[in-house]
Amino acid sequence: TSRTRHTKLSDVTAVQTCSHPILLLISYRGRRSGKPYTVPVNFIREGDTLLVTSYRNRTWWRNLRGDVPITVRIHGRDWPATAEVLEAQEAVADAFGRYLQAVPQFAKYLGVRVDADGRPDGTDLHGAPHERVVVRIALTLPRAEQGA
C-alpha cells in the first residue's frame, strides 16, 4: 500500500517563504460527479500548512469536506495534499483572524475593518463565520519520495 506523510513546508522550496499571500491552484474531483475542477485562490503559509478562505455561498469548497485528497499547484509545480474545511464558527473566526493578521492589507477586500494599527476589527471577525469558511491544506508526499 502507498503510505503518505505530511511534509514540512520548509522542505518544499517552491512554496512561498514570506507571509504575503500568493496564488495557488487547487485541483480536486467533484464529490458526486467525479469531474475534475481547478480553482485559483490566495493563500497564506502558517507553519506546515496553507490557509485559504472562501465565502460560504460559493460551492467549490464543499467538495473538500472530509480530508479530501487534492493537488495544489504553487509556482508551476504540483503537490499532492489533503484539504480540511473548517466550518465551525469558533474555528473559522480563529483561523480567519490569523489569516488577516498575516495579510492585513486584505481586510478591506474581505469586508473587515482594521484599526489604526492595522489589526482586524474584532466585531467583524466574529461575524465572519456566518459568511466564510477556511480551508486548511497539508501537503503530502508518497513514501517513495520521502528520501528525495
Side-chain angles (χ1 to χ4, degrees):
T1 62
S2 174
R3 293 174 43 112
T4 58
R5 73 172 173 97
H6 292 282
T7 204
K8 291 185 178 180
L9 290 183
S10 59
D11 296 340
V12 181
T13 57
V15 176
Q16 75 184 83
T17 57
C18 64
S19 63
H20 299 292
I22 59 174
L23 187 70
L24 71 82
L25 298 175
I26 298 176
S27 297
Y28 58 92
R29 293 215 170 259
R31 284 183 298 158
R32 293 184 201 154
S33 69
K35 290 181 182 178
Y37 294 95
T38 299
V39 294
V41 294
N42 285 313
F43 75 97
I44 64 160
R45 175 182 170 184
E46 185 178 72
D48 290 346
T49 61
L50 308 175
L51 292 182
V52 171
T53 184
S54 180
Y55 285 104
R56 282 187 187 266
N57 65 355
R58 296 197 175 137
T59 59
W60 69 269
W61 59 267
R62 294 176 185 159
N63 290 289
L64 306 183
R65 288 177 171 145
D67 294 328
V68 172
I70 62 171
T71 301
V72 294
R73 176 167 281 236
I74 306 168
H75 295 292
R77 184 162 178 194
D78 290 340
W79 297 95
T82 303
E84 173 190 10
V85 179
L86 305 178
E87 296 181 72
Q89 289 187 1
E90 193 171 303
V92 172
D94 182 55
F96 188 58
R98 294 191 319 270
Y99 187 97
L100 290 178
Q101 286 173 348
V103 285
Q105 67 272 25
F106 270 41
K108 182 177 179 181
Y109 167 75
L110 296 172
V112 176
R113 293 170 290 181
V114 294
D115 65 18
D117 295 326
R119 290 185 301 247
D121 180 79
T123 304
D124 291 349
L125 284 179
H126 290 296
H130 299 290
E131 297 178 7
R132 297 205 156 270
V133 296
V134 174
V135 178
R136 185 170 35 208
I137 299 170
L139 300 181
T140 56
L141 290 177
R143 185 177 178 93
E145 294 182 25
Q146 287 183 7

